[in-house]
């Protein structure tokens, strides 16, 4: 009886998954399934890719490569203005990961990222984290957050993520102490996303090159006002990633980008 019930439940789950997949195929096309498979495979085991024919100067690449932790994670090319990500996967990635499927949504997302929203949230979340058990109450009673329940809830969620991920972040070598976490912040995560998403949206035709360059300039300025070297920038970038996923994997990718001779981060001066 138990065996029969188990088989029935397994069959039901299989049916639900099949229906879900068919609905996704109907909505997004057959490229959806292969895209999600490839997306899930992206991680720290990727070989770094460059375009051997690229003729961009180091000055240009210093601007373009701010978002390279995203580019590397998705298997794109590290030394080009475009991300080099397959068109079908790029479409899927923008829709599923960033909620972008048209120009209006692209513009809205990029404007939001230009305000460094994750760093704002992290600032409050980090202060709350340091207060231990009183952290959540401190956030709920904060005068600065009183006018926005949504922002307050986001800060609480970020604080909880920081608590869950703290040990893994330390073990991955992203930071050495609570103090260093606060110094790093996640502004590089905001800048990296702004850079990467604007380039992907340009490739997608949602924004033009001039609009993309405005975003790249903003991401560059955001990064260089906060950091004085690629290493600190990379660790802040990885910290932002680590709060949403595998800290060990993304720290490994960051180290690859910092040390591999083909990576712009390893040979371009931070100025």
């Amino acid at each position: 009886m138990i065996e029969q019930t188990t088989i029935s439940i397994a069959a039901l789950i299989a049916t639900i998954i099949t229906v879900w997949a068919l609905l996704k195929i109907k909505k997004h096309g057959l490229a959806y399934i292969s895209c999600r498979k490839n997306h899930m495979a992206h991680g720290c085991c990727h070989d770094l890719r460059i375009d051997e024919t690229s003729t961009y100067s180091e000055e240009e690449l210093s601007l373009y490569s701010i978002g390279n932790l995203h580019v590397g994670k998705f298997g794109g090319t590290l030394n080009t203005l475009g991300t080099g990500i397959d068109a079908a996967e790029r479409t899927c990635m923008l829709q599923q990961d960033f909620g972008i499927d048209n120009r209006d949504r692209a513009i809205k997302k990029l404007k939001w990222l230009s305000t460094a929203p994750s760093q704002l949230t992290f600032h409050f979340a980090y202060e709350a984290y340091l207060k231990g058990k009183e952290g959540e109450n401190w956030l709920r009673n904060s005068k600065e957050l009183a006018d926005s329940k949504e922002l307050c809830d986001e800060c609480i969620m970020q604080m909880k993520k920081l608590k869950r991920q703290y040990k893994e972040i330390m073990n991955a070598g992203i930071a050495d102490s609570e103090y260093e976490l606060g110094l790093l912040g996640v502004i590089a995560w905001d800048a990296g996303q702004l850079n990467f998403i604007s380039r992907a949206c340009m490739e997608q035709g949602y924004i033009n090159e001039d609009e993309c360059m405005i975003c790249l300039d903003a991401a560059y300025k955001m990064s260089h006002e906060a950091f004085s070297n690629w290493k600190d920038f990379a660790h802040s970038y990885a910290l932002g990633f680590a709060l949403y996923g595998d800290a060990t994997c993304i720290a490994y990718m960051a180290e690859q980008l910092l040390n591999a001779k083909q990576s712009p981060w390893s040979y371009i001066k931070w100025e």
Side-chain angles (χ1 to χ4, degrees), residues 92-126:
C92 174
M93 173 200 69
L94 286 171
Q95 290 178 351
Q96 300 302 314
D97 295 345
F98 304 110
I100 298 172
D101 58 8
N102 58 47
R103 175 175 170 79
D104 288 343
R105 289 182 177 177
I107 296 295
K108 183 178 179 180
K109 184 75 170 184
L110 293 170
K111 283 183 177 179
W112 179 70
L113 286 171
S114 70
T115 66
S118 298
Q119 178 59 27
L120 174 64
T121 304
F122 182 83
H123 166 73
F124 287 105
Y126 174 73

Side-chain angles (χ1 to χ4, degrees), residues 14-242:
T15 302
I16 291 170
I17 292 172
T18 301
V19 171
W20 173 86
L22 289 172
L23 288 173
K24 289 296 185 181
I25 291 172
K26 183 178 180 181
K27 183 177 180 180
H28 301 291
L30 288 171
Y32 177 85
I33 299 299
S34 61
C35 168
R36 298 316 294 169
K37 183 178 179 182
N38 289 336
H39 171 70
M40 292 175 69
H42 285 153
C44 53
C45 294
H46 254 313
D47 291 330
L48 300 183
R49 287 180 53 213
I50 61 167
D51 180 353
E52 298 285 357
T53 66
S54 174
T55 58
Y56 290 113
S57 66
E58 289 193 9
E59 183 179 2
E60 289 172 313
L61 289 178
S62 68
L63 183 67
Y64 304 161
S65 63
I66 292 294
N68 271 4
L69 195 51
H70 275 86
V71 175
K73 182 177 184 294
F74 285 99
T77 52
L78 302 174
N79 62 338
T80 55
L81 173 57
T83 65
I85 298 171
D86 174 77
E89 184 173 356
R90 186 178 65 241
T91 300
C92 174
M93 173 200 69
L94 286 171
Q95 290 178 351
Q96 300 302 314
D97 295 345
F98 304 110
I100 298 172
D101 58 8
N102 58 47
R103 175 175 170 79
D104 288 343
R105 289 182 177 177
I107 296 295
K108 183 178 179 180
K109 184 75 170 184
L110 293 170
K111 283 183 177 179
W112 179 70
L113 286 171
S114 70
T115 66
S118 298
Q119 178 59 27
L120 174 64
T121 304
F122 182 83
H123 166 73
F124 287 105
Y126 174 73
E127 291 298 321
Y129 168 80
L130 293 178
K131 297 182 184 300
K133 293 180 180 179
E134 296 302 313
E136 185 168 339
N137 286 333
W138 179 80
L139 286 169
R140 293 198 185 281
N141 294 321
S142 171
K143 292 181 180 178
E144 293 174 278
L145 299 175
D147 294 333
S148 177
K149 183 180 182 301
E150 184 179 353
L151 178 58
C152 182
D153 289 344
E154 178 65 24
C155 291
I156 291 170
M157 183 172 67
Q158 189 79 288
M159 177 195 68
K160 290 178 178 178
K161 286 179 181 177
L162 188 54
K163 287 181 178 180
R164 283 198 307 270
Q165 295 290 95
Y166 178 78
K167 186 176 289 186
E168 187 180 354
I169 289 168
M170 293 296 121
N171 290 339
I174 293 173
D176 294 327
S177 63
E178 290 179 345
Y179 176 71
E180 189 177 2
L181 274 182
L183 290 179
L184 286 174
V186 295
I187 197 164
W189 163 252
D190 285 321
Q193 286 192 98
L194 178 59
N195 174 290
F196 173 70
I197 295 173
S198 66
R199 291 159 66 193
C201 285
M202 180 193 69
E203 290 175 295
Q204 201 71 4
Y206 295 151
I207 63 174
N208 60 42
E209 186 171 335
D210 288 340
E211 291 168 325
C212 177
M213 294 304 295
I214 291 171
C215 294
L216 298 188
D217 285 336
Y220 182 90
K221 184 177 180 181
M222 194 186 299
S223 303
H224 282 70
E225 285 181 349
F227 303 101
S228 59
N229 57 74
W230 281 110
K231 182 179 179 181
D232 289 344
F233 168 79
H235 283 204
S236 171
Y237 201 159
L239 176 57
F241 253 120

Side-chain angles (χ1 to χ4, degrees), residues 241-255:
F241 253 120
L243 292 174
Y244 296 92
D246 186 342
T248 303
C249 181
I250 211 64
Y252 177 82
M253 173 66 73
E255 289 305 312

